[in-house]
Amino acid sequence: ATAAPARTAPVPAHRGYTPPPIHWGTCSSPSLQSAGAKCGMLTVPLDYAKPTGKKIQLAVSRIKHTAKKSQGVMLVNPGGPGGSGLGLARLGAYVPNGGGAPYDWIGFDPRGVGSSKPSLSCDGDFFAPGRPSYVPTTPQIADYWQDKAAGYAVACKEANLPLLKHTDTRTWVQDMESIRKALHQKKINYYGFSYGTYLGQVYATQHPDRVRRFVFDGVVNPKDVWYDANLEQDKQFDVNIDVFFDWVAAHDDTYGLGTDGGAVRQIYYDTLQDLTDHPQADFGAADWNDVFVGAGYYVYGWDDLAHVLVAAADGKLGPAKSYLGDPTGPGADNTYANYLAVECTDAPWPTDWSTWQQDNDAIHAEHPFLTWNNAWWNAPCRTWPVQPGRPVKVDGSKAPPILLIEETNDAATPWAGAIEVRKLFRKSVLIEGVGGTTHAGSLSGVGCTDNTIARYLKTGKLPDRKPGNDSDVKCKPVPPPTPSASGARPTPRERLLTAARPVVLH
């Protein structure tokens, strides 16, 4: 690959930038309005090395504390990177026992994301259905995906190269500092999901004196960012999708696909092969695979996806197409564009395609469900128009006690990452959702987990940390849904959590 243009070296945080106040007004979101939120825009430098230069704006939301005594602000990041966090000002309402009441909950769209200005989009039709198999079994398929990935990198360069040069985890940490300053806080509280845990780790490394109470749910391994992290995901996703197939088989009385999980799995793969051999103009093998990715992340959509399988077993793909929806239109790639802007720039990626081919072929041979989907998802990083930097060396030795949450079989952020962060943050305590496959699923109604969160947020008290390298508290995982005759509607809490935490960390 051609060498990417040189990137400006990382600069010390802020260099004295003091943001102007946020002018709060009515939110455009009806759900935020009904929750009593106020919204505004925060002005920050495009380049913190030039604080008097070009400015951009971050969209920020706030729901003020309802307890008599305030414990400050609680910033929330949904992960991705690239997920819109504006709606997560509502998260405090889902903390039980009044645990969220002492805080001003602050949602925000990171630079380039959602309602922030500018909002990054490179190709709104990038995910148009009708795509071939992700698995490059022929030179034609391999050429299709390589050209598509390289074309997207070019489109992002043309869309907003100046923003790409100043979008990475270091810069997002600087933006968090600007939010802190604009809100006149000496310290912040923080609730980070998925990638948001890595953002919190870097913040706590660079500003340990600004850390008050931090919660990390779905813990990223800071030693794997980002190429190796994606390879590690593929193995557990393959395990998790089989857990889903087994669950469908265990409920044969509802779904009627038999009691053998392997047979249910075969329905999925037979349909995949049929769409590989005979793709439809508006629905191909890649689209079929995309429909089921969420089943490897969360239990929330299992009932709906079981019904998609039931229809496919009868030769009907309408429910699958409806589930996928229309992933196109102006700005439809906003989350993806910002995901790449951060991950392609945070750390080096192999530029030699033979490395990608060899690594992914080896994993695909044993774990075929997501491996090549994941590879092509990240492939624009190979020719990204901004030269990557080096990851921050995470150091939690100076940070106060924080709370870590992880399910045993989380695929997006595998278990080893939670153990690594527990080692790095020596005062941290880890809750394990034993045996669970849901990613970043706290505040989903599991009392053992959610009550511990509430107590920590109210009092600062954590359970005792145990010796060794294991979890400190063992809780039940997020439970699967109740099978239904026609597909279950998500609860308001599930809508908030899954909408705010898009399936992009892959």
Side-chain angles (χ1 to χ4, degrees):
T2 56
R7 177 168 175 261
T8 305
V11 298
H14 267 74
R15 294 228 175 140
Y17 176 72
T18 301
I22 299 171
H23 297 290
W24 299 102
T26 302
C27 299
S28 60
S29 161
S31 62
L32 283 171
Q33 288 180 26
S34 64
K38 296 294 183 181
C39 292
M41 304 297 289
L42 174 65
T43 299
V44 299
L46 173 67
D47 180 358
Y48 278 96
K50 300 175 181 178
T52 60
K54 181 176 176 61
K55 302 296 192 298
I56 60 175
Q57 291 186 306
L58 310 181
V60 185
S61 60
R62 180 181 69 185
I63 295 179
K64 299 195 76 171
H65 65 280
T66 56
K68 290 183 179 180
K69 185 177 181 180
S70 171
Q71 295 199 42
V73 299
M74 177 73 70
L75 276 64
V76 191
N77 181 271
S84 169
L86 207 61
L88 281 177
R90 296 182 290 142
L91 190 65
Y94 294 99
V95 183
N97 309 322
Y103 297 93
D104 288 2
W105 287 79
I106 307 297
F108 65 100
D109 284 349
R111 58 175 56 205
V113 175
S115 298
S116 291
K117 298 178 181 179
S119 184
L120 182 63
S121 175
C122 309
D123 177 3
D125 293 329
F126 185 76
F127 295 104
R131 299 166 297 156
S133 170
Y134 284 121
V135 185
T137 52
T138 68
Q140 291 78 14
I141 292 177
D143 288 346
Y144 171 90
W145 287 109
Q146 288 200 47
D147 290 347
K148 191 172 179 68
Y152 193 79
V154 171
C156 286
K157 178 181 179 180
E158 294 174 349
N160 198 329
L161 182 59
L163 182 62
L164 299 187
K165 289 181 177 179
H166 302 288
T167 298
D168 59 5
T169 297
R170 282 184 171 91
T171 309
W172 282 20
V173 166
Q174 291 175 301
D175 286 342
M176 286 175 62
E177 272 290 270
S178 288
I179 295 173
R180 179 190 65 79
K181 287 186 175 184
L183 298 176
H184 307 291
Q185 302 291 310
K186 291 182 178 180
K187 297 184 178 185
I188 62 168
N189 306 280
Y190 177 76
Y191 205 126
F193 298 98
S194 193
Y195 163 81
T197 71
Y198 180 66
L199 182 63
Q201 293 168 39
V202 176
Y203 184 94
T205 297
Q206 296 184 333
H207 305 288
D209 58 325
R210 305 294 186 191
V211 173
R212 189 172 179 268
R213 293 176 192 162
F214 275 34
V215 179
F216 295 162
D217 182 13
V219 187
V220 167
N221 190 336
K223 293 193 172 183
D224 281 349
V225 295
W226 288 110
Y227 179 75
D228 289 340
N230 284 280
L231 293 175
E232 284 301 310
Q233 292 174 336
D234 299 335
K235 303 168 187 176
Q236 190 64 48
F237 270 112
D238 204 72
V239 174
N240 286 5
I241 197 65
D242 283 349
V243 173
F244 163 66
F245 294 142
D246 288 344
W247 178 84
V248 175
H251 296 285
D252 177 58
D253 55 338
T254 299
Y255 304 118
L257 295 180
T259 58
D260 180 1
V264 175
R265 180 180 189 271
Q266 199 59 45
I267 295 169
Y268 168 83
Y269 279 102
D270 284 348
T271 306
L272 183 70
Q273 187 62 52
D274 185 60
L275 286 167
T276 299
D277 297 338
H278 309 287
Q280 299 184 10
D282 63 342
F283 198 75
D287 309 312
W288 174 253
N289 186 216
D290 279 1
V291 166
F292 287 89
V293 169
Y297 273 87
Y298 313 116
V299 297
Y300 304 127
W302 279 9
D303 185 47
D304 285 334
L305 288 169
H307 286 286
V308 171
L309 275 177
V310 170
D314 198 30
K316 300 173 183 176
L317 292 177
K321 295 177 183 180
S322 296
Y323 192 93
L324 184 67
D326 181 7
T328 64
D333 66 324
N334 176 254
T335 295
Y336 182 55
N338 284 287
Y339 166 92
L340 293 172
V342 172
E343 293 213 356
C344 296
T345 314
D346 267 355
W349 292 74
T351 57
D352 184 351
W353 181 251
S354 64
T355 301
W356 294 67
Q357 184 85 48
Q358 181 177 348
D359 290 344
N360 286 281
D361 275 346
I363 296 175
H364 174 82
E366 298 293 332
H367 308 285
F369 173 66
L370 196 70
T371 299
W372 276 106
N373 179 328
N374 208 353
W376 296 120
W377 178 271
N378 292 284
C381 290
R382 192 170 71 92
T383 58
W384 198 246
V386 178
Q387 186 169 330
R390 292 283 173 181
V392 172
K393 184 178 180 180
V394 169
D395 179 2
S397 61
K398 296 181 181 179
I402 65 172
L403 180 59
L404 312 176
I405 305 162
E406 184 85 5
E407 293 208 347
T408 315
N409 299 312
D410 184 335
T413 54
W415 178 253
I419 295 300
E420 179 63 28
V421 172
R422 184 180 178 275
K423 293 178 186 176
L424 293 171
F425 288 78
R426 301 168 193 167
K427 299 176 183 177
S428 63
V429 169
L430 172 60
I431 299 175
E432 176 184 4
V434 178
T437 63
T438 289
H439 171 56
S442 63
L443 303 182
S444 291
V446 178
C448 172
T449 298
D450 296 353
N451 292 337
T452 304
I453 296 168
R455 184 175 67 165
Y456 172 60
L457 295 187
K458 287 174 75 173
T459 69
K461 183 173 177 57
L462 287 172
D464 292 336
R465 182 176 165 115
K466 295 181 178 179
N469 295 316
D470 198 357
S471 57
D472 303 289
V473 179
K474 297 186 185 299
C475 295
K476 292 181 179 179
V478 177
T482 301
S484 75
S486 58
R489 292 191 171 204
T491 67
R493 174 166 46 195
E494 289 172 358
R495 283 197 296 270
L496 171 66
L497 297 182
T498 55
R501 284 178 260 164
V503 179
V504 296
L505 189 66
H506 78 273

